[in-house]
Amino acid sequence: MPTNNYGLIAFNLSMLGQVYRFMNDLDIAIYYIKQSLSYSEQYRISYTQMHSLWNLSEIYLAKNDLNKAGPLIHQTLEISRHCDEASKVFPYSSMVKLLRLRGEYTQAFEWGKGALSHASRFDIEPDIGWIYMELGRTYLEAGHAEEAHFHLRKAEEKLTRQLNPIIQRSIPFPLKILIPLPGSLITNSWT
């Protein structure tokens, strides 16, 4: 059955790419995300273009390819200015991750606090959870254990309350693997 709802097609392709991203099947994720981008750019659908670019930037961040991720995040930030206000939380969170991976902790803290403030306006718990996780990981890498502990606990609280149990199993929750707390058997194996 043919359809001309290209916005819905583009968004579903981007979401399919995101599912494969969460399953760590990055090549298939990229395939669907690029299809979404094709529709989004051809039909000028800014929200799905922003979402697809953000998904692609997250893949390159996962691959630690910061040279590809950085420009995509900046492009996502630019496009998000033309979307709804809540959507800006995606590139804000990715910017925190990018800066953390570059070792630019002071800037990452600034972006993270701004992202958390922005996301809190919309009270979307998973988005807030992801930001808490990025801030927690940044504090941890910067050697601020107390702040890391606080932010990672908040991330775990927000994410476990809201995410589907199947997705939860694919996410190594921060406290279980990042922070060696007294008396725990926590490892530090997730990047």
Side-chain angles (χ1 to χ4, degrees):
M1 180 163 93
T3 182
N4 61 357
N5 191 340
Y6 299 112
L8 185 59
I9 293 169
F11 187 69
N12 284 331
L13 287 166
S14 186
M15 292 302 290
L16 188 56
Q18 186 171 349
V19 168
Y20 279 101
R21 179 170 65 88
F22 280 130
M23 293 180 353
N24 206 31
D25 198 337
L26 302 183
D27 290 334
I28 293 176
I30 290 171
Y31 171 79
Y32 286 115
I33 291 166
K34 285 186 175 182
Q35 282 191 343
S36 174
L37 275 172
S38 177
Y39 279 106
S40 299
E41 290 169 358
Q42 182 177 354
Y43 296 102
R44 295 183 180 108
I45 309 164
S46 59
Y47 181 79
T48 54
Q49 184 180 19
M50 184 277 307
H51 192 269
S52 296
L53 288 168
W54 167 73
N55 258 323
L56 201 52
S57 74
E58 284 291 320
I59 288 170
Y60 289 121
L61 287 170
K63 291 181 168 193
N64 206 28
D65 189 341
L66 307 185
N67 291 327
K68 287 184 181 175
L72 289 169
I73 293 169
H74 286 287
Q75 192 175 358
T76 305
L77 282 166
E78 183 60 37
I79 293 170
S80 73
R81 291 186 175 101
H82 306 289
C83 300
D84 63 274
E85 281 294 304
S87 67
K88 292 178 183 177
V89 75
F90 299 127
Y92 287 3
S93 180
S94 295
M95 183 61 82
V96 177
K97 187 183 296 185
L98 175 68
L99 293 167
R100 174 181 58 80
L101 291 170
R102 287 181 178 164
E104 298 172 13
Y105 301 129
T106 302
Q107 286 184 295
F109 296 140
E110 290 174 19
W111 272 92
K113 290 173 186 173
L116 192 56
S117 173
H118 183 80
S120 296
R121 292 177 35 207
F122 304 97
D123 201 30
I124 303 170
E125 286 199 335
D127 293 344
I128 295 169
W130 290 114
I131 295 167
Y132 271 125
M133 185 162 61
E134 281 310 316
L135 272 171
R137 295 177 73 194
T138 304
Y139 279 117
L140 184 66
E141 287 184 20
H144 303 283
E146 283 185 43
E147 290 91 346
H149 183 254
F150 170 80
H151 286 84
L152 292 170
R153 281 242 188 250
K154 295 294 278 185
E156 187 171 37
E157 172 190 315
K158 298 287 185 184
L159 292 172
T160 55
R161 270 203 311 239
Q162 295 295 319
L163 293 180
N164 177 303
I166 294 169
I167 295 173
Q168 285 181 22
R169 284 193 294 270
S170 72
I171 300 170
F173 281 108
L175 289 175
K176 296 177 183 166
I177 59 169
L178 286 177
I179 298 183
L181 299 172
S184 74
L185 300 175
I186 298 169
T187 64
N188 190 7
S189 62
W190 188 48
T191 53

